[in-house]
Amino acid sequence: MTRYASILETIGRTPLVRLARLAPPDVNVHVKVEAFNPMGSVKDRMALAVIEAAERSGVLRPGQTVIEATSGNTGIGLAMVCARKGYPLVVTMAESFSLERRRLLRFLGARVVLTPASEKGSGMLAKAIELAEAHGYFLCRQFENEANAEVHSRTTAREILDDFQGEPIHAWVTGFGTGGTLRGVSRVLKAADPRIRIVVAEPDNAPLLGSGEAQPAGASHPRFRPHLMQGWSPDFISPLTQQAVAAGMVDEIVPVAGEEALRLARELARKEGIFVGISAGATLAAALEVARRAPAGSHIVCMLPDTGERYQSTPLFEGIGDEMNEEELALSRSTPGCRFDVPAPRPAAAMSRAVEPADTGRDAEAERRLEEYLAQAPVVMFALAWCEFCWAARKLFARLGVDYLSVDLDSPDYQADDMGVRLRPVLARRTGAPTIPQIFIAGEPLGGCGELFDAWRDGSLGRRLAACGVAYDAEAIIDTELLLPAWLHPRSTTA
């Protein structure tokens, strides 16, 4: 194991893995698994390179806001780099890209400005330029920034050559988005061995390169159509891609259908145990096409740009259910325990002991503490930090802007003298229920999460809050069902 001074030092040196079940038996197809980068994509390399190049040149000042247009992976990489280095980050992104990417960016501290899907990639780029000029932000310009290509020449390409240690490589297969990976890797591989074929994959319904048509200045490419491969082929051919093509680096262009990209991403997971996104499935589709025509014993290297985790709201996960299917349900029913279609056996006398421990008497200290907590705030919730029903109640209070005291019985503050445990039967006697959470308003019990939601829906919660002077958003429109954990939605015995 190696110790690192920064997460940024872990970028690169990703594994090259030989496929065992998907490739032709007489051809060696190796995949470069870029999901091993710290934020799960090849764009981590470029994000660090662009920021450090700007720091060296002085165009990025300490504390200056960074901005970039991105389908997600570049932004996620930049968010990691900017978080570590202390730069605020703004990302512009077309609204059509996956929800997971937006949430990851915001989780990392970035601000995300969405642009209309109808404006395509060029629209989000135009918005980034506009914001940079208006607010003095540093614009990364990933589609033309030489640091994007340079980092792949210095790292990705060298890693591939080092892994083969002089063995001949028949072909290297990649998609293109910014063109940085394509330009940076191809020039090093070609310099090392001009016989290495550089194969570029692109969507079959958006043949920007395959059409041979030039990129119009300042406009979308006429052959662009929306496609499934996020991060691949924006609606224009980037300057870095154009430079690679003009330098004669591209030997072949392979069109890939969206459904084939989805199929192979799933097959990689189920047959090779490699979890990737749609663009990786598309690149593999092209690599397998090359492999079918390659001489026996050939080595083919395929780029897998990112992880599959940020595609859960896309068609890649269509048909992947949250509930048990018939086969799983039959397996559940094959043994008697822990089933949803039969009630669980009731432990003998367990509930009575939970409400009133036998022969222990009343805990005067716990009762006194309960009264102290109720006196500290008009709204008090006795909760458990790990409980999803407590989380749901907290979400409603947050949406309403209600200040409340949370007494988290399982937190370290209540472990002294076992007070968190001792308060449970005291609460149960006061409320008549052993469950958590228990919510009090003006010292009077309201109930748990379900009762809280019912009180909001029937208006009684608002009246009780107003009566004790607690401010809340009376105009809020909240579907409380959406605040509950997903597994709680009505469950049938056949789903």
Side-chain angles (χ1 to χ4, degrees):
M1 298 296 290
T2 302
R3 294 190 299 177
Y4 297 98
S6 160
I7 188 65
L8 306 181
E9 295 179 1
T10 70
I11 295 172
R13 298 176 296 280
T14 55
L16 198 64
V17 179
R18 183 181 180 276
L19 298 185
R21 300 181 61 192
L22 290 179
D26 58 346
V27 174
N28 303 296
V29 176
H30 310 266
V31 291
K32 184 81 165 150
V33 189
E34 291 296 299
F36 275 73
N37 282 301
M39 290 311 303
S41 91
V42 68
K43 298 299 186 181
D44 290 0
R45 298 175 186 263
M46 181 265 285
L48 179 60
V50 165
I51 294 300
E52 291 192 335
E55 288 175 330
R56 288 192 299 270
S57 69
V59 297
L60 175 59
R61 303 184 305 274
Q64 185 179 6
T65 295
V66 175
I67 188 168
E68 184 58 318
T70 168
S71 63
N73 283 331
T74 294
I76 292 165
L78 282 170
M80 170 189 61
V81 175
C82 289
R84 177 62 181 82
K85 288 177 171 285
Y87 299 106
L89 175 66
V90 175
V91 163
T92 60
M93 178 187 294
E95 62 180 331
S96 53
F97 294 117
S98 70
L99 301 178
E100 293 81 30
R101 299 176 184 221
R102 301 183 203 174
R103 299 185 74 185
L104 278 168
L105 284 161
R106 291 176 174 134
F107 189 88
L108 286 159
R111 287 172 286 170
V112 180
V113 176
L114 298 177
T115 58
S118 60
E119 299 296 326
K120 298 168 281 194
S122 55
M124 66 187 191
L125 178 56
K127 186 66 173 180
I129 294 171
E130 182 180 272
L131 289 171
E133 292 175 350
H135 300 288
Y137 298 159
F138 167 70
L139 179 62
C140 295
R141 299 185 182 276
Q142 60 173 323
F143 297 99
E144 61 192 71
N145 195 322
E146 176 57 29
N148 182 357
E150 184 276 333
V151 71
H152 291 291
S153 296
R154 175 168 43 88
T155 67
T156 315
R158 296 309 321 173
E159 291 168 22
I160 292 169
L161 291 173
D162 290 346
D163 284 340
F164 283 96
Q165 297 181 344
E167 290 185 80
I169 300 171
H170 174 71
W172 175 71
V173 185
T174 186
F176 73 93
T178 67
T181 306
L182 169 60
R183 182 162 187 253
V185 175
S186 64
R187 63 190 178 191
V188 171
L189 295 187
K190 283 289 191 183
D193 184 352
R195 296 171 298 176
I196 298 175
R197 293 183 58 76
I198 306 300
V199 179
V200 176
E202 67 177 354
D204 64 350
N205 67 325
L208 277 62
L209 295 182
S211 68
E213 296 181 33
Q215 168 63 45
S220 292
H221 195 283
R223 299 302 298 272
F224 176 80
R225 299 294 182 274
H227 55 81
L228 288 170
M229 286 70 103
Q230 296 187 20
W232 251 28
S233 302
D235 64 307
F236 55 89
I237 304 172
S238 73
L240 292 175
T241 301
Q242 293 183 55
Q243 290 162 16
V245 173
M249 295 296 175
V250 177
D251 296 299
E252 183 179 357
I253 299 166
V254 176
V256 178
E259 287 300 320
E260 186 69 356
L262 296 175
R263 183 184 72 81
L264 280 168
R266 294 168 185 147
E267 290 285 283
L268 262 174
R270 294 170 181 176
K271 292 187 176 180
E272 301 282 355
I274 300 173
F275 186 40
V276 297
I278 302 173
S279 54
T283 314
L284 180 61
L288 293 179
E289 171 62 26
V290 173
R292 284 188 282 271
R293 301 185 260 108
S298 296
H299 292 291
I300 295 169
V301 178
C302 170
M303 296 297 294
L304 300 184
D306 68 359
T307 176
E309 288 186 350
R310 54 202 56 162
Y311 292 86
Q312 292 188 51
S313 62
T314 75
L316 183 60
F317 276 74
E318 187 172 350
I320 306 298
D322 296 322
E323 302 295 338
M324 288 190 287
N325 59 28
E326 290 294 335
E327 180 183 3
E328 293 162 340
L329 187 61
L331 187 60
S332 171
R333 289 170 172 166
S334 68
T335 60
C338 298
R339 287 163 51 176
F340 292 107
D341 57 336
V342 294
R346 186 181 180 86
M351 292 305 295
S352 63
R353 287 199 300 272
V355 175
E356 183 72 64
D359 302 324
T360 61
R362 292 181 178 272
D363 188 331
E365 174 62 15
E367 291 184 344
R368 185 186 67 79
R369 294 282 291 274
L370 174 64
E371 295 299 334
E372 287 183 357
Y373 297 135
L374 294 178
Q376 289 180 27
V379 181
V380 180
M381 180 168 72
F382 294 88
L384 298 171
W386 57 266
C387 173
E388 291 181 281
F389 295 100
C390 297
W391 298 347
R394 296 184 205 277
K395 290 177 187 176
L396 180 59
F397 284 144
R399 302 281 179 89
L400 295 175
V402 170
D403 289 328
Y404 65 97
L405 171 66
S406 181
V407 180
D408 296 337
L409 301 176
D410 57 344
S411 70
D413 291 343
Y414 301 95
Q415 291 178 12
D417 300 325
D418 220 16
M419 186 53 66
V421 174
R422 291 162 61 191
L423 279 167
R424 294 289 293 269
V426 174
L427 277 169
R429 286 195 295 270
R430 178 70 67 92
T431 63
T435 55
I436 298 292
Q438 287 298 326
I439 299 158
F440 290 73
I441 298 180
E444 295 299 320
L446 171 67
C449 178
E451 290 79 11
L452 175 68
F453 286 3
D454 289 342
W456 169 249
R457 287 190 289 262
D458 66 22
S460 61
L461 175 62
R463 292 191 293 272
R464 292 181 66 171
L465 292 172
C468 60
V470 175
Y472 73 99
D473 183 0
E475 303 301 319
I477 299 174
I478 302 170
D479 183 350
T480 54
E481 293 298 317
L482 299 179
L483 306 182
L484 290 167
W487 58 264
L488 193 67
H489 295 168
R491 181 191 301 275
S492 74
T493 59
T494 58

